[in-house]
Every structure is written in C-alpha cells, then in structure tokens.
Amino acid sequence: MREQNRPTDSSAPGPFPVPRSADTVARLTGRWVTLRPITPGDYEFLYRMTVDARTIVRWRPRGTTPSPEQFPQFLWQNVLAQFLVEQTDERIPVGTVTAYNADPRNSVVYLAVAITPEFEKSGWALEAVVIFIEYLFRVWNLRKVYIEAVEFNFAEYASGIGRFFQLEGCLRDHEYFEGQYWHVYISALYRENWPETARRLGHVSSLKI
Amino acid sequence: MRNKTTSSQDDTFDRFVSRLTSELQLDPHIYERDTRLIEDLGLDSLRMLEVVTVMAQMDAEIPEGAMPFIHTLGDLHDQYATRTQSESSPSGTIR
C-alpha cells in the first residue's frame, strides 16, 4: 500500500503509521493436490522418487545417485522454499515443488517440479506448480520465476510460450543424454502477468501487483 | 471419421467443440469425435490443464480419476454430456 493510502489515526503509535492487518494464510490446496512442508519422514519416498529409473534423468540429479546419507543435503541445496505435493483426498505423496537459486539482488528464483511417473500425466504437476508460483509471488517480492528445462521436459508445456510465460534463453546442445546433446530452455513467468495466467489455469490469484 | 451418431447428437457435439476450441483458441478445423487430444491436436500437459479448466467453467468438472481415460474429443464430450445431463434442455442442445 502506498504511503498516501495508509489509514490515519490520532491513536497512531507516536510518529509511526497505524499497524494494518493482513490475510497471511498461505493457500496451498487446489482441486487435486495440496502442498505441505517436507519432514524427515518423507525422505524415503523422496529418495526413491529421485533415483527411480523413470525420473532419474529428468529431474535435478540428472542421472547421478546421491547417497541416502547425503540425500537431505542434496534435497535442500540452495533451496528457498520446497513442499511435498500430496493428492488431497487420499493424502498420497506424488512429488515436490522447489524454488532454488534465489537471487535477492535481482528478485528472481528458479522453479523445479518432480512428480512420480504414475502421476506425471495427471495434471497434478501443473496444478502444484500453479499453487506454488502463487505462493512465491505472494510471499516474496519476486519479479520473475525462471524455469530451466531440458527440451524433452520443456515439450510438456511449450504451448505456454508467449501466452503464460516468456522464453528468455536457450542453451543449444547443452545437455547430454542417449547419444546426443539436447537444448536447455529458460523461460520466465512475470509477476505482473501472473493473476491472468493463474485465472486461465483455473486458479483464483489473490496476488496484489 | 465420424462415429455413428444422430443428427441432434452431432449438433450437440459440434456446439460443444465449437465452444471448447474457441475458449482454447485452437485453430479452426473440422473436429471429429475420434480426434485425439494429444496425437491429433498436439495438446501438451499445459494445454490439458486448460482443457480441464474450460470444462469446469462449462459446469462439467472432470473427476480426478477420469483424465487418464480421456483421449479424444468424443471422450470429452461424453464427460460434458454426463456432467450437464440434468441441466440440458430436452432437445439436448448445450447451454
């Protein structure tokens, strides 16, 4: 709120403004999934998901196998915020959403999502991402949220270029897999575009621009 | 190839597809019941979430477990018809 819009009150605490209240409840539940904090009890599920043959080259480890002992460090490395994605009704864990490599000087952060192979085509991953981005923009004064993806992952949401996000860069022939090098795409969701993007993806944004 | 349907069913399907493709801003095209969402229309995961959102806006929210069984426009229309059956007019035209 701009300074001129602040309420005035003769009972203000000395020379300081009247304190305002705010809705500080984080909305972490959607149509299908809920985001909840990760606890040590979730590590076994997350470890198995991370080293699953079907996801191991698609997610952050990119084929490496962190040891179970080092896994918590791997999981929390450079993380700003991270939640477990749970199917809302059955409370079945289905993946994670992660904001990492935050750059406070430039007000940007990177986003990663991992969903177990059984559910990756269900739409739950995208709903989790929508809820998480809303959370990120509400809690931090971020300008942009970047998503960096190898082209075979990017193909899953490339239809959103120019509609929901901007393509900001491409590292050509950057990442090796299966006998060839693949492009890595960097796209960005802009804060000012987020409420309309969220609406078109079925989410009511409460973000104040 | 269009499945065997009555003319009123065709009309309902065509109206449904017209609204859906308009909301999704898909290119004008002749769509059939067996047009596949991924292989023929090229919908990716993001587009599929938009489909779910548009269906919900059309009062035809797709149940959580149904998405894996929806492959074609005909499947989507069946979901629409089922969800809105009680609210449809006797002639079967969509609202």
Side-chain angles (χ1 to χ4, degrees):
Chain A
M1 185 181 289
R2 296 176 190 277
E3 190 66 33
Q4 62 265 32
N5 292 336
R6 288 180 182 277
T8 57
D9 190 321
S10 58
S11 64
F16 302 109
V18 176
R20 295 164 293 161
S21 60
D23 176 8
T24 56
V25 178
R27 296 176 186 82
L28 298 176
T29 297
R31 185 181 293 135
W32 300 304
V33 299
T34 295
L35 310 187
R36 72 158 172 81
I38 293 170
T39 67
D42 299 313
Y43 286 171
E44 182 175 349
F45 160 75
L46 293 171
Y47 184 76
R48 289 183 184 281
M49 181 181 74
T50 300
V51 300
D52 187 298
R54 294 166 293 180
T55 53
I56 192 166
V57 299
R58 293 171 68 98
W59 195 39
R60 288 164 64 200
R62 292 284 192 269
T64 62
T65 53
S67 73
E69 293 75 23
Q70 293 172 323
F71 183 66
Q73 289 172 280
F74 161 81
L75 192 65
W76 293 104
Q77 194 170 25
N78 299 326
V79 165
L80 174 70
Q82 182 163 236
F83 291 99
L84 190 82
V85 182
E86 260 186 358
Q87 193 270 349
T88 300
D89 292 339
E90 306 290 333
R91 310 293 302 269
I92 301 169
V94 296
T96 58
V97 283
T98 308
Y100 67 100
N101 286 357
D103 178 351
R105 180 165 172 264
N106 296 307
S107 301
V108 297
V109 73
Y110 284 77
L111 182 147
V113 57
I115 296 289
T116 52
E118 294 84 354
F119 301 113
E120 68 180 9
K121 300 288 185 188
S122 65
W124 295 352
L126 283 167
E127 182 178 56
V129 167
V130 171
I131 297 169
F132 190 47
I133 293 172
E134 169 82 7
Y135 173 81
L136 292 174
F137 278 136
R138 279 192 74 199
V139 176
W140 286 276
N141 192 18
L142 295 166
R143 291 187 305 124
K144 295 196 258 184
V145 174
Y146 288 125
I147 302 176
E148 184 178 294
V150 185
E151 62 181 287
F152 45 76
N153 287 340
F154 184 64
E156 292 291 320
Y157 60 91
S159 68
I161 297 172
R163 298 188 306 130
F164 299 145
F165 55 82
Q166 303 301 319
L167 191 58
E168 308 241 316
C170 175
L171 306 175
R172 296 176 189 275
D173 297 329
H174 182 74
E175 190 149 322
Y176 181 83
F177 178 62
E178 285 279 349
Q180 59 182 301
Y181 283 93
W182 301 75
H183 306 320
V184 170
Y185 294 91
I186 302 169
S187 48
L189 291 129
Y190 282 72
R191 180 182 193 86
E192 59 267 29
N193 297 338
W194 177 247
E196 174 61 14
T197 297
R199 186 192 66 77
R200 292 191 57 185
L201 295 175
H203 190 87
V204 178
S205 173
S206 60
L207 182 67
K208 292 176 177 59
I209 303 296
Chain B
M1 190 175 77
R2 179 161 293 202
N3 291 349
K4 287 182 180 177
T5 53
T6 66
S7 60
S8 80
Q9 284 174 316
D10 280 350
D11 180 58
T12 305
F13 175 76
D14 290 344
R15 285 168 182 264
F16 166 77
V17 168
S18 174
R19 180 168 174 192
L20 186 74
T21 54
S22 170
E23 294 282 348
L24 294 172
Q25 298 171 358
L26 292 176
D27 293 334
H29 195 275
I30 297 172
Y31 298 109
E32 308 287 354
R33 282 192 61 83
D34 54 6
T35 299
R36 295 170 298 178
L37 303 175
I38 295 173
E39 295 86 348
D40 299 331
L41 298 183
L43 303 190
D44 59 14
S45 297
L46 189 57
R47 279 297 211 176
M48 291 299 284
L49 184 60
E50 290 180 79
V51 167
V52 171
T53 302
V54 169
M55 290 285 284
Q57 290 166 351
M58 294 166 70
D59 297 327
E61 186 148 345
I62 299 174
E64 182 185 310
M67 275 310 285
F69 305 104
I70 294 175
H71 304 292
T72 66
L73 284 174
D75 295 337
L76 269 182
H77 180 246
D78 290 345
Q79 285 290 326
Y80 175 82
T82 302
R83 305 285 150 210
T84 60
Q85 195 169 24
S86 60
E87 298 176 45
S88 296
S89 67
S91 65
T93 54
I94 67 172
R95 290 172 298 141

